[in-house]
Amino acid sequence: MELSKKKMRRGHFSKNLIAFVCIVVSVCCLFVVFISMFRLPEVPVGSRAVGLYQTAIRGRVSENEKFIGRFGGMMIEMLPEDLAFTVFVPSQKAFERDLRLRVNDSLVGEKMNDTYAIVSRVMGFSAVPRTLSSVMVPVGREVSYDSISGFPLYITKDIDGMLVVNRIRSERVDIRKGEIVVHVMDGVIMDAEFEQSVQPDYSEE
């Protein structure tokens, strides 16, 4: 009699265990189905999200490059981006007006070497080996620094925040390229000797 009761308890326990396992499996299946039906759409990190971010970055870069111009970009590329420099870059219009450099003409064939020499000389007059953002120049006061070629730069700031360097006014300030601070100028910073050398020789006409 007692043996029969033990067998009945064992059989009852086995049935309960099987029923419990079936319930757990059923709940797991329902959970998986529920998640599959109602899960949030995945964000394609490798394509759309990154692509949108890169587009935004390209938009800012292209906006800055529009002000810096091709020749200004050449000047900046001559400097290491991981070191602190400030460059007063002539605008594209200033390169054309004051130095007669044009993208469609001055960067082709044999003119490329002459153009590179002119741009590197301008960079020597216009680059300062330190960080100098517009907020570091007080309004109404003049600060002075020597460029990397030893040419003195006298810098003031107008009330609208634009910098004036050796009487040449900026068009855009505080563009960052790595550790380099770029200010786009409405003119070319250069000494009198170099300015005379790049003037057109009307005597030959």
Side-chain angles (χ1 to χ4, degrees), residues 44-164:
V45 175
S47 55
R48 186 180 175 185
V50 174
L52 290 174
Y53 177 75
Q54 289 177 342
T55 300
I57 293 294
R58 282 197 296 269
R60 289 198 295 270
V61 171
S62 61
E63 183 71 13
N64 289 336
E65 288 177 349
K66 182 178 71 173
F67 288 97
I68 294 173
R70 184 71 177 276
F71 299 114
M74 289 175 61
M75 288 178 60
I76 296 169
E77 288 173 0
M78 296 176 185
L79 298 171
E81 285 193 8
D82 57 342
L83 296 179
F85 282 94
T86 299
V87 191
F88 301 97
V89 173
S91 65
Q92 195 72 25
K93 183 178 179 181
F95 271 110
E96 294 181 7
R97 180 189 64 225
D98 301 339
L99 298 176
R100 296 171 294 154
L101 295 180
R102 297 172 179 82
V103 174
N104 296 333
D105 179 62
S106 303
L107 295 176
V108 296
E110 297 179 355
K111 293 183 179 180
M112 183 64 187
N113 290 335
D114 293 337
T115 299
Y116 188 86
I118 293 173
V119 171
S120 62
R121 188 78 186 276
V122 172
M123 190 269 294
F125 293 128
S126 308
V128 177
R130 58 166 295 152
T131 298
L132 185 65
S133 63
S134 61
V135 296
M136 298 171 67
V137 180
V139 176
R141 289 180 55 190
E142 182 181 84
V143 296
S144 62
Y145 298 98
D146 286 343
S147 71
I148 58 177
S149 67
F151 185 65
L153 303 179
Y154 303 99
I155 307 163
T156 58
K157 183 167 70 174
D158 288 343
I159 57 174
D160 62 354
M162 293 294 105
L163 298 179
V164 179

Side-chain angles (χ1 to χ4, degrees), residues 173-194:
V173 296
D174 300 333
I175 298 174
R176 282 277 184 173
K177 289 282 198 177
E179 294 296 318
I180 301 173
V181 180
V182 182
H183 307 295
V184 180
M185 313 299 293
D186 184 26
V188 180
I189 299 172
M190 50 187 168
D191 65 9
E193 181 182 355
F194 183 72

